[in-house]
Amino acid sequence: MKTLVFLVRHGETLWNREQRCQGFTDVDLSEKGKEQAEKLARYLAKISRLEAVYSSDLIRARKTAEAIARLQGVEVQTDARLRELNQGEIEGKNLNSLLMDYPEILQKWMTEPAEVKMPGGESLRQLQARAWQAFQEIVEKNRGAELAIVAHNLCNTAILCKILELDLNHFRRIKQSSGALNIIEITNTGPVIIRLNDTHFLEEL
């Protein structure tokens, strides 16, 4: 029995463009992000008939998921475990602010990111534990189906690292662009990533 998961990163937000840490902050899609969501939705409608669409409960992911679900005739099911990394006190800050106010955390984030617990937030390992639990439960509930899961940069990366058995300290080897699509095929022998960070359908933007 084959299950096909379309793992999506939400469309662009203004904070993405400004390179600000978002985390749990509920930042809406930019106009470009809304266009990305619509283009992604149209592309998925061409290549798949989805039986379910799941999403983080944050608005940037939820609106991306709603665009997908609308063309598939299904409802979006939200799961807070699919949220982005909780970045606590540093949410809303850009690189210059981090260099000024949190130099030690930033240094460790560059060298040993898996071990960094954000002040007032969580670590990559904590994120991976909740996201992977959600991913496994969603897949088990939809065995044999084609479904979409819409989440966030680090959330998706943590799931992909788990599948690849890649240590989170090396998470930067995986890229997740705004509006990107990953395709994961799951059989009795386990998950296989058959497409990674695909954005070809957004090129005209």
Side-chain angles (χ1 to χ4, degrees):
M1 182 181 294
K2 181 175 72 174
T3 306
L4 208 58
V5 178
F6 297 89
L7 180 64
V8 171
R9 184 187 177 191
H10 63 78
E12 182 201 73
T13 71
L14 289 177
W15 279 22
N16 288 144
R17 192 181 303 169
E18 296 167 358
Q19 297 185 317
R20 295 181 181 275
C21 301
Q22 290 187 113
F24 277 24
T25 305
D26 213 5
V27 184
D28 203 348
L29 295 175
S30 65
E31 288 305 311
K32 180 178 178 180
K34 292 173 185 175
E35 289 182 54
Q36 289 175 329
E38 292 296 333
K39 288 183 179 294
L40 171 60
R42 290 197 292 272
Y43 176 68
L44 281 176
K46 290 179 181 178
I47 66 170
S48 176
R49 185 60 183 166
L50 301 176
E51 295 180 39
V53 176
Y54 291 82
S55 172
S56 154
D57 61 341
L58 296 176
I59 193 167
R60 57 192 185 272
R62 198 175 70 245
K63 282 193 174 180
T64 304
E66 286 169 354
I68 295 167
R70 189 163 51 248
L71 295 186
Q72 299 283 348
V74 298
E75 296 294 322
V76 175
Q77 302 176 63
T78 59
D79 190 326
R81 293 174 297 176
L82 296 170
R83 285 186 177 194
E84 183 58 293
L85 177 72
N86 183 352
Q87 297 171 49
E89 295 174 13
I90 73 168
E91 292 188 11
K93 296 185 181 297
N94 59 22
L95 180 59
N96 288 336
S97 297
L98 294 176
L99 286 168
M100 183 179 299
D101 299 331
Y102 300 91
E104 292 181 2
I105 290 175
L106 187 60
Q107 176 62 31
K108 192 170 184 181
W109 178 250
M110 298 307 296
T111 57
E112 297 177 281
E115 312 308 326
V116 177
K117 184 174 181 181
M118 298 300 179
E122 64 183 341
S123 69
L124 276 176
R125 296 206 191 280
Q126 289 173 309
L127 162 62
Q128 188 180 62
R130 63 169 164 83
W132 184 245
Q133 181 185 51
F135 182 84
Q136 286 184 302
E137 289 179 12
I138 290 168
V139 168
E140 182 61 31
K141 187 177 179 180
N142 295 275
R143 286 174 63 84
E146 296 189 9
L147 63 141
I149 297 176
V150 183
H152 306 263
N153 178 23
L154 293 174
C155 180
N156 286 3
T157 301
I159 291 170
L160 294 166
C161 282
K162 187 73 172 180
I163 292 170
L164 292 170
E165 299 181 0
L166 177 67
D167 189 274
L168 286 169
N169 283 314
H170 305 301
F171 81 90
R172 292 183 180 88
R173 294 178 184 175
I174 297 173
K175 184 174 181 179
Q176 291 290 280
S177 303
S178 295
L181 172 66
N182 311 279
I183 304 179
I184 303 160
E185 183 180 281
I186 303 165
T187 65
N188 293 335
T189 58
V192 176
I193 299 169
I194 59 177
R195 198 180 301 187
L196 182 66
N197 197 43
D198 183 10
T199 58
H200 81 276
F201 43 85
L202 304 178
E203 286 176 0
E204 63 186 80
L205 287 173

